[in-house]
Amino acid sequence: MTTKLATVVMTMAMTMTMAAGTAAAKPVSYDCKMQSYEKYNWIAPRMLIFVDHEEKVAGVMDGIIASVSKTPMVVDYDPRSKERLKLKWTLNNLDARSGSAKVSYSATMDERRMKLSVTARVHGYDNRPSGSGTCVRSNIPLKR
């Protein structure tokens, strides 16, 4: 694991701990390799998804989030079924051709099939970037 990724993971662990309180359950992490269906890099090639079902906390990290906030984002825990989890987040001030843009993301993590699908809404533009990828359970230790 790279030093940068290790720092991100430790930050995510601390963020999730603060959001979840003093939970004893260990979160599950997924490392997803994404295929973007657009050419403007609104969908990152790699995404990390963190889920703690017991405490109902979820998080996401990718290169786009890192460029804006440097830390993973805690997102709403929104299970759609026992196997599917909806994740939503918004990023402001992303570099765009016309200056900066606000982008709202929506992702579905299918934990049984180990697949992630992502769509983005770039506010002020007509395009709807999307992508999907396969995930593996990560061996990244999320220590509290």
Side-chain angles (χ1 to χ4, degrees):
M1 177 177 1
T2 66
T3 304
K4 185 174 182 178
L5 184 56
T7 302
V8 165
V9 170
M10 292 308 293
T11 303
M12 184 65 204
M14 289 185 283
T15 304
M16 288 184 76
T17 299
M18 287 184 274
T22 58
K26 293 182 181 177
V28 177
S29 59
Y30 299 98
D31 189 346
C32 305
K33 292 183 181 176
M34 303 298 294
Q35 172 66 48
S36 179
Y37 304 125
E38 53 88 38
K39 61 182 179 181
Y40 297 109
N41 299 317
W42 295 113
I43 307 296
R46 182 178 180 202
M47 300 182 83
L48 298 173
I49 306 297
F50 305 92
V51 182
D52 185 333
H53 290 290
E54 187 172 309
E55 294 299 321
K56 297 179 175 34
V57 176
V60 64
M61 183 63 176
D62 65 16
I64 299 168
I65 294 169
S67 72
V68 174
S69 69
K70 308 292 185 223
T71 60
M73 294 186 72
V74 174
V75 298
D76 289 337
Y77 179 85
D78 185 6
R80 296 302 168 102
S81 70
K82 283 185 172 183
E83 301 157 346
R84 298 180 80 142
L85 183 67
K86 188 68 140 182
L87 308 164
K88 292 183 179 183
W89 66 98
T90 299
L91 298 172
N92 294 306
N93 301 318
L94 293 180
D95 289 335
R97 290 175 294 177
S98 62
S100 66
K102 175 180 178 180
V103 183
S104 297
Y105 289 89
S106 179
T108 301
M109 178 67 211
D110 187 326
E111 292 181 278
R112 183 181 61 79
R113 293 177 50 221
M114 304 294 279
K115 299 210 179 273
L116 180 68
S117 60
V118 179
T119 58
R121 178 173 177 252
V122 184
H123 298 261
Y125 294 87
D126 292 334
N127 61 333
R128 293 277 194 244
S130 64
S132 64
T134 56
C135 306
V136 295
R137 278 191 186 232
S138 175
N139 62 355
I140 298 171
L142 296 174
K143 298 180 182 178
R144 293 176 184 229

